[in-house]
Amino acid sequence: MPDYLSVEEARERAGVRVALTAGVPGPWGEATKALLKVRKIEYAPVLQVMGEANDALAAWTGHRNAPIVVYNDEPARVGWAEILFLTERLGNGPSLIPHDPDERATMMGLSHEICGENGLGWARRLNLLHPSIEAGPDDPGYELSARFGRWYGYSDAAGRASARRAAEVLGVLSRQLASQRAAGREFLVGNALSAVDLYWAAFCALVEPLPDDLSVHAMPPGLRALYESSPPEVREAASPELLAHRDFLYREVIGLPLDF
């Protein structure tokens, strides 16, 4: 597990500091770590605890959830796009945003479908909350699920539609990769690695997480059970080629073992 700074320690430092949920390979956090690694940006991880108030973090950054990226005295960044553009500004090496405007628009659109509101991550999160909330207060997970549901805009309609929405995004990604491969291209957009490849690798955990033997520490069993609980329509929407692309990215680009 990374050596997390306390919020108090992080506030005294300059440079890039990133609040991450300790012990949890959350897709938004893992995607942020992948961006920072590929762009060769050193950072200090800061402790955020899942499901707790994180009052000190909120007092510092204005936010309680993770990931949160703070650079020097600049405002905290929490959205996937603003974090991406910060890594572009601070990092080195090939850009993760295509230069071609059509490819850039495609990459940003696909990234929003994965990371943004009502995207793959959002839909799978609601999908995970739905069974306990639907079961009601007698369900052991109801209280925690209801709390997360209030944070993330859960409604009965959104919960019921969440699996279909996740499957839609996976279908788009599967077709995009198939089109790229038919054109002799290795990545999801254009001829080179871009941010959307890294987002897919991280968010694939919500469909099929990496096995524990590819991680420094085993994923908490309850969390693994949740991540592996994809409804059949979700799992079937991810083509074998799309899942293999995740494996390639971790093996050749992001690196293993996974450390959270």
Side-chain angles (χ1 to χ4, degrees), residues 179-196:
S179 176
Q180 286 284 99
R181 294 290 169 80
R185 295 174 172 177
E186 189 171 24
F187 298 101
L188 277 165
V189 175
N191 289 305
L193 177 76
S194 70
V196 71

Side-chain angles (χ1 to χ4, degrees), residues 53-259:
N54 294 286
D55 288 333
L57 186 63
W60 176 35
T61 67
H63 304 278
R64 299 179 187 275
N65 296 333
I68 305 168
V69 181
V70 180
Y71 174 58
N72 289 341
D73 294 327
E74 295 183 7
R77 290 165 168 87
V78 294
W80 68 268
E82 60 186 9
I83 292 173
L84 170 61
F85 283 110
L86 180 66
T87 65
E88 284 289 300
R89 173 160 68 92
L90 300 181
N92 297 287
S95 173
L96 291 174
I97 300 176
H99 295 294
D100 179 85
D102 292 328
E103 292 179 355
R104 183 167 61 248
T106 299
M107 192 280 290
M108 294 300 290
L110 290 173
S111 296
H112 181 80
E113 286 291 280
I114 296 172
C115 309
E117 186 168 346
N118 202 35
L120 173 63
W122 191 279
R124 271 295 285 145
R125 185 164 56 191
L126 296 183
N127 185 230
L128 294 174
L129 299 175
H130 181 65
S132 289
I133 296 177
E134 186 177 45
D138 291 337
D139 186 272
Y142 174 80
E143 183 177 343
L144 183 60
S145 294
R147 188 194 318 164
F148 277 106
R150 289 192 292 272
W151 292 346
Y152 300 124
Y154 176 87
S155 68
D156 183 64
R160 291 181 183 280
S162 58
R164 182 176 68 253
R165 176 62 185 139
E168 286 176 353
V169 177
L170 291 168
V172 169
L173 294 172
S174 295
R175 292 189 295 273
Q176 174 69 16
L177 185 61
S179 176
Q180 286 284 99
R181 294 290 169 80
R185 295 174 172 177
E186 189 171 24
F187 298 101
L188 277 165
V189 175
N191 289 305
L193 177 76
S194 70
V196 71
D197 293 292
L198 302 181
Y199 293 138
W200 162 242
F203 280 75
C204 184
L206 295 174
V207 181
E208 182 179 289
L210 288 168
D212 281 337
D213 61 5
L214 296 180
S215 300
V216 174
H217 303 282
M219 187 185 301
L223 184 65
R224 175 168 289 280
L226 283 174
Y227 277 16
E228 291 179 339
S229 67
S230 301
E233 66 184 289
V234 173
R235 182 63 181 78
E236 291 166 6
S239 68
E241 293 77 14
L242 191 60
L243 295 172
H245 187 53
R246 183 276 304 269
D247 296 343
F248 162 76
L249 290 165
Y250 271 106
R251 186 174 63 248
E252 303 295 335
V253 178
I254 301 170
L256 294 169
L258 190 65
D259 190 6

